[in-house]
Amino acid sequence: MSHTKLNIIENFYQAFADLDAERMVAFYHNEITFEDPAFGKIQGEKAKNMWRMLCKSQQNKRFQVIATNIVCTSESGKAHWEAFYTFSSTGRKIHNKIDATFKLKDGKIINHKDSFNLYNWSKQALGFKGFLIGWTPFFKNKLRNQTQSLLLEFQRKQNTGI
């Protein structure tokens, strides 16, 4: 069982490194719950669409994901991964260090939580402005509202075929 989980998590990150969202979401259970500091908690198709949106946004750009320290037990898994990309809103380079935890059900990921230092990310993404406000609850809420809006717009376009 642990070996199967290890393969699922390794293959999930390989698909992400390849920016292959459909391969990524194939590892997700239909009842997936995803959570991270930027999006908050999202579920089901919305969580799958987040990866579709993120992968699409990085196509033909200098994007890199490196996953390491993938460890699994009979009930859970975890990984450390690092993302290297350019934040499109500011053109600033990002090196985000993330720790992920997973729970599986029926051979699929049913719970995925990414943890990272949002303040460090905000300083990289926004520079001095991130330094000033990136640690505040106001910033966290504003970022989540923006990411949720972007995701809703992406889903709307997907549903209308735009």
Side-chain angles (χ1 to χ4, degrees):
M1 184 88 161
S2 291
H3 181 68
T4 302
K5 283 186 179 182
L6 183 64
N7 288 339
I8 289 169
I9 295 169
E10 284 178 342
N11 290 329
F12 176 84
Y13 284 111
Q14 184 56 57
F16 192 21
D18 296 340
L19 294 174
D20 187 341
E22 293 311 313
R23 208 165 87 226
M24 289 178 75
V25 301
F27 294 108
Y28 268 7
H29 193 281
N30 285 336
E31 297 171 14
I32 181 68
T33 297
F34 173 85
E35 184 175 2
D36 85 348
F39 284 88
K41 188 180 281 190
I42 53 179
Q43 298 175 311
E45 203 60 28
K46 196 172 187 180
K48 293 177 182 182
N49 282 333
M50 178 204 61
W51 293 114
R52 290 177 177 117
M53 179 181 75
L54 292 175
C55 286
K56 185 175 182 181
S57 76
Q58 294 302 314
Q59 292 293 328
N60 302 313
K61 296 183 180 171
R62 291 181 181 211
F63 174 82
Q64 184 180 19
V65 167
I66 301 169
T68 58
N69 300 328
I70 298 172
V71 178
C72 296
T73 68
S74 59
E75 278 111 39
S76 62
K78 64 181 183 175
H80 175 79
W81 63 281
E82 299 185 28
F84 302 84
Y85 61 98
T86 301
F87 186 57
S88 60
S89 297
T90 60
R92 296 176 64 89
K93 301 284 184 208
I94 304 292
H95 175 194
N96 201 11
K97 299 174 184 179
I98 302 107
D99 289 308
T101 58
F102 300 90
K103 287 194 167 84
L104 275 74
K105 179 180 177 183
D106 304 326
K108 303 263 186 177
I109 301 167
I110 193 160
N111 186 287
H112 176 181
K113 183 174 183 178
D114 281 348
S115 300
F116 62 88
N117 186 315
L118 187 59
Y119 182 53
N120 285 344
W121 179 88
S122 72
K123 291 186 290 184
Q124 291 178 68
L126 304 174
F128 188 66
K129 183 178 178 183
F131 172 78
L132 290 177
I133 65 166
W135 59 273
T136 65
F138 167 81
F139 174 79
K140 185 177 184 179
N141 291 333
K142 184 174 180 175
L143 178 64
R144 283 191 182 169
N145 287 337
Q146 287 177 335
T147 57
Q148 291 292 325
S149 292
L150 289 170
L151 183 53
L152 287 172
E153 179 66 15
F154 177 82
Q155 289 181 131
R156 187 188 65 75
K157 286 179 180 177
Q158 292 291 104
N159 291 336
T160 58
I162 296 174

